Amino acid sequence: MQLIKYKWDTNGVAGEPFLFARDKGKVTKMKLFDENLNIKIGKRRCTGFTRNGRHFECPKMRIVESEKMCRECALNDDFFLCMKCTGEECINESQRKSCQKNNYYIYLAAFSTMLKVGISYEHRILERLIEQGADMGAKIGMTQDGKIARSIEQKIRSELNICDRVTGAEKHNMLFGNPNIAAVNISNAFSKLKSNGLSQHLINPEIYNLQSIYRLSAVKFMPQVFTAEEGSCLDGNVVAAKGNIMVVKGGSGLLSVNAHRLVGCEIELSN
């Protein structure tokens, strides 16, 4: 059995995360909140690629380390190259036509004192903010064409001197974010953008407070980091999750688990 995906199912400003496991061609959706997770972790292998809406297993089931896909599957995937886009030049011509037609939001995501800029498909904006684990989020701009959206994103990143990526370790350290600081940072950033020549791309911001979704009120102290590696066992109740950081309560206390590091791992389930 292999874990192939971690995904939040959202409904407005609400939702919960799930893991998806594949075993002999069958995919199972695993509920996490209030469920006991008891798994032994094996090797981490490529999760395969998506082509024309269909998912394909890695033909060689290659072992991978930092990425969820091997190089061969990444290059066969419809959207892998789009994730590398900076807005300067299209590097995935097969998706260019649909990219030009789609509408995109430009957003700010606040992780306590850290601010990140990003883009999202119009219909995925709330899901995108939640799956990242932002304390607060705001859609601040909208445009058609993903290449243009990426270009605006990078201009905002440079203008505000903020990031466009947040690591799992940084998210763990900011598990208990301060929503007041987050809200002030978003407001100040938007005001700066309005006065610095980027106003033609901006919309009236819509700000979301996302903290209640993650169920962190059940977490009374900072959990210890769990390292997912071959041979390790994860046993406990999933009491909270903030983006890709799950909080698991087990016999040894609270553990902080980066779910993205579980994706690709072969697992054995224990009862």
Side-chain angles (χ1 to χ4, degrees):
M1 179 178 286
Q2 181 193 25
L3 296 176
I4 59 170
K5 184 166 61 174
Y6 172 82
K7 185 178 186 299
W8 278 80
D9 278 3
T10 58
N11 180 18
V13 188
E16 62 176 304
F18 294 85
L19 279 167
F20 292 78
R22 180 173 57 211
D23 187 24
K24 298 177 182 178
K26 181 181 179 182
V27 176
T28 301
K29 183 178 182 180
M30 301 168 59
K31 180 175 170 61
L32 295 173
F33 277 166
D34 302 319
E35 296 290 330
N36 191 68
L37 191 63
N38 190 345
I39 59 176
K40 182 178 180 180
I41 297 171
K43 296 183 185 299
R44 192 168 191 241
R45 298 186 184 274
C46 175
T47 58
F49 62 95
T50 299
R51 175 65 61 84
N52 296 326
R54 290 184 58 199
H55 185 266
F56 297 88
E57 293 186 26
C58 176
K60 298 183 180 178
M61 290 302 290
R62 288 189 175 94
I63 292 175
V64 293
E65 294 183 6
S66 58
E67 298 284 351
K68 67 177 183 177
M69 288 185 283
C70 68
R71 183 64 176 169
E72 179 183 344
C73 287
L75 293 177
N76 282 326
D77 188 82
D78 278 341
F79 298 105
F80 175 80
L81 290 176
C82 291
M83 302 302 294
K84 309 295 183 182
C85 177
T86 62
E88 294 180 1
E89 181 180 356
C90 180
I91 55 176
N92 194 8
E93 286 294 340
S94 65
Q95 298 299 318
R96 186 70 188 109
K97 286 186 178 180
S98 62
C99 176
Q100 288 175 303
K101 295 177 183 177
N102 289 325
N103 291 323
Y104 297 84
Y105 278 120
I106 298 96
Y107 64 82
L108 293 175
F111 303 81
S112 192
T113 57
M114 181 180 287
L115 205 58
K116 170 191 180 291
V117 62
I119 69 171
S120 169
Y121 288 117
E122 181 181 13
H123 65 279
R124 282 198 75 236
I125 180 64
L126 274 174
E127 181 181 356
R128 185 74 188 109
L129 292 168
I130 292 167
E131 69 188 12
Q132 292 180 86
D135 293 302
M136 307 277 287
K139 49 188 181 186
I140 62 167
M142 183 180 228
T143 187
Q144 193 174 41
D145 191 335
K147 184 169 174 286
I148 295 174
R150 282 293 188 199
S151 177
I152 297 169
E153 173 197 55
Q154 293 306 304
K155 288 177 182 176
I156 291 173
R157 180 186 65 80
S158 178
E159 179 66 29
L160 297 177
N161 192 27
I162 59 177
C163 66
D164 58 2
R165 298 283 189 276
V166 183
T167 67
E170 289 170 329
K171 290 179 183 181
H172 164 79
N173 292 334
M174 295 181 289
L175 191 65
F176 301 109
N178 186 320
N180 295 320
I181 293 175
V184 169
N185 285 346
I186 289 175
S187 178
N188 289 343
F190 187 77
S191 295
K192 184 176 181 179
L193 292 175
K194 282 199 304 182
S195 61
N196 282 15
L198 287 167
S199 58
Q200 71 267 31
H201 304 299
L202 303 181
I203 60 174
N204 289 328
E206 188 171 351
I207 300 177
Y208 305 95
N209 186 343
L210 306 168
Q211 285 195 320
S212 63
I213 301 168
Y214 307 132
R215 299 177 44 158
L216 287 171
S217 59
V219 182
K220 303 305 180 184
F221 53 88
M222 195 68 177
Q224 297 295 310
V225 173
F226 173 83
T227 302
E229 56 189 6
E230 185 178 357
S232 60
C233 295
L234 180 59
D235 183 10
N237 196 52
V238 181
V239 296
K242 187 181 184 188
N244 54 295
I245 304 299
M246 302 189 304
V247 180
V248 178
K249 184 178 182 181
S252 59
L254 292 176
L255 297 174
S256 168
V257 183
N258 184 347
H260 288 171
R261 293 298 304 162
L262 295 178
V263 174
C265 290
E266 295 174 333
I267 61 167
E268 294 178 13
L269 296 177
S270 302
N271 295 324

